[in-house]
Coordinates of all heavy atoms in Angstrom, one line a residue:
T17 N 2.9 5.6 -0.5 CA 1.9 6.2 0.4 C 0.8 6.9 -0.4 O -0.4 6.8 -0.1 CB 2.6 7.2 1.4 OG1 3.5 6.4 2.2 CG2 1.5 7.8 2.3
T18 N 1.2 7.7 -1.4 CA 0.3 8.4 -2.2 C -0.7 7.4 -2.9 O -1.9 7.6 -3.0 CB 1.0 9.2 -3.3 OG1 2.0 10.0 -2.7 CG2 0.1 9.9 -4.2
T19 N -0.1 6.2 -3.3 CA -1.0 5.2 -3.9 C -1.9 4.6 -2.9 O -3.1 4.4 -3.1 CB -0.1 4.1 -4.5 OG1 0.7 4.7 -5.6 CG2 -0.9 2.9 -5.1
T20 N -1.4 4.3 -1.7 CA -2.2 3.6 -0.7 C -3.4 4.5 -0.3 O -4.6 4.1 -0.2 CB -1.4 3.3 0.6 OG1 -0.2 2.7 0.2 CG2 -2.2 2.3 1.5
V21 N -3.1 5.8 0.0 CA -4.2 6.8 0.4 C -5.2 7.0 -0.7 O -6.4 6.9 -0.5 CB -3.5 8.1 0.8 CG1 -4.5 9.2 0.9 CG2 -2.7 7.9 2.1
N22 N -4.7 7.2 -1.9 CA -5.6 7.5 -3.0 C -6.4 6.3 -3.5 O -7.6 6.4 -3.9 CB -4.9 8.2 -4.2 CG -4.6 9.7 -3.9 OD1 -5.5 10.5 -3.9 ND2 -3.4 10.0 -3.5
L23 N -5.8 5.2 -3.5 CA -6.5 3.9 -3.8 C -7.5 3.6 -2.8 O -8.7 3.2 -3.1 CB -5.5 2.8 -3.9 CG -6.1 1.4 -4.3 CD1 -6.8 1.5 -5.6 CD2 -5.0 0.3 -4.4
S24 N -7.2 3.8 -1.5 CA -8.2 3.6 -0.4 C -9.4 4.5 -0.7 O -10.6 4.1 -0.6 CB -7.6 3.9 0.9 OG -6.6 3.0 1.3
A25 N -9.2 5.8 -1.0 CA -10.3 6.7 -1.2 C -11.1 6.3 -2.5 O -12.3 6.4 -2.5 CB -9.8 8.1 -1.3
A26 N -10.3 5.9 -3.5 CA -11.0 5.5 -4.7 C -11.9 4.3 -4.5 O -13.1 4.3 -4.9 CB -10.0 5.3 -5.8
L27 N -11.4 3.3 -3.8 CA -12.1 2.1 -3.5 C -13.4 2.4 -2.7 O -14.5 1.9 -3.0 CB -11.3 1.1 -2.8 CG -10.1 0.5 -3.7 CD1 -9.2 -0.4 -2.8 CD2 -10.7 -0.4 -4.8
A28 N -13.2 3.3 -1.7 CA -14.4 3.7 -0.9 C -15.4 4.4 -1.8 O -16.6 4.1 -1.7 CB -13.9 4.7 0.2
R29 N -15.0 5.2 -2.7 CA -15.9 5.9 -3.6 C -16.6 4.9 -4.6 O -17.6 5.1 -5.1 CB -15.2 7.0 -4.4 CG -14.9 8.1 -3.5 CD -14.3 9.3 -4.2 NE -14.7 10.5 -3.5 CZ -14.9 11.7 -4.0 NH1 -14.8 11.9 -5.3 NH2 -15.2 12.7 -3.3
H30 N -15.9 3.8 -4.8 CA -16.5 2.7 -5.7 C -17.3 1.7 -4.8 O -17.7 0.7 -5.3 CB -15.4 1.9 -6.4 CG -14.7 2.7 -7.5 ND1 -15.4 3.2 -8.6 CD2 -13.4 3.0 -7.8 CE1 -14.6 3.8 -9.4 NE2 -13.4 3.7 -8.9
G31 N -17.6 2.1 -3.6 CA -18.5 1.3 -2.7 C -17.8 0.1 -2.0 O -18.6 -0.7 -1.4
Q32 N -16.5 0.1 -1.9 CA -15.8 -1.0 -1.2 C -15.6 -0.6 0.2 O -15.1 0.5 0.5 CB -14.5 -1.3 -1.9 CG -14.6 -1.7 -3.4 CD -15.1 -3.1 -3.6 OE1 -14.6 -4.0 -3.0 NE2 -16.2 -3.2 -4.4
R33 N -15.9 -1.5 1.1 CA -15.5 -1.2 2.5 C -14.0 -1.4 2.7 O -13.5 -2.6 2.5 CB -16.3 -2.2 3.5 CG -17.8 -2.0 3.4 CD -18.5 -3.2 4.1 NE -18.1 -4.5 3.5 CZ -18.3 -5.6 4.2 NH1 -18.8 -5.7 5.4 NH2 -17.9 -6.8 3.6
T34 N -13.3 -0.4 3.0 CA -11.9 -0.4 2.9 C -11.2 0.0 4.2 O -11.6 1.0 4.9 CB -11.4 0.6 1.8 OG1 -12.1 0.2 0.5 CG2 -9.9 0.6 1.6
L35 N -10.2 -0.7 4.5 CA -9.3 -0.4 5.7 C -7.9 -0.1 5.2 O -7.4 -0.9 4.5 CB -9.3 -1.5 6.7 CG -8.3 -1.4 7.9 CD1 -8.8 -0.2 8.8 CD2 -8.2 -2.7 8.7
L36 N -7.3 1.0 5.6 CA -5.9 1.3 5.3 C -5.1 1.0 6.6 O -5.5 1.6 7.6 CB -5.8 2.8 4.9 CG -4.4 3.3 4.4 CD1 -4.6 4.6 3.7 CD2 -3.4 3.4 5.5
V37 N -4.1 0.2 6.4 CA -3.2 0.0 7.6 C -1.9 0.7 7.3 O -1.2 0.5 6.3 CB -2.9 -1.6 7.7 CG1 -1.9 -1.8 8.9 CG2 -4.2 -2.3 7.9
D38 N -1.6 1.6 8.2 CA -0.4 2.4 8.1 C 0.7 1.7 8.9 O 0.7 1.6 10.1 CB -0.6 3.8 8.6 CG 0.6 4.7 8.3 OD1 1.6 4.3 7.8 OD2 0.5 6.0 8.6

Side-chain angles (χ1 to χ4, degrees):
T17 299
T18 304
T19 296
T20 314
V21 167
N22 283 285
L23 180 57
S24 295
L27 290 169
R29 291 188 149 208
H30 287 306
Q32 302 287 307
R33 297 169 302 160
T34 304
L35 173 69
L36 185 164
V37 178
D38 190 352

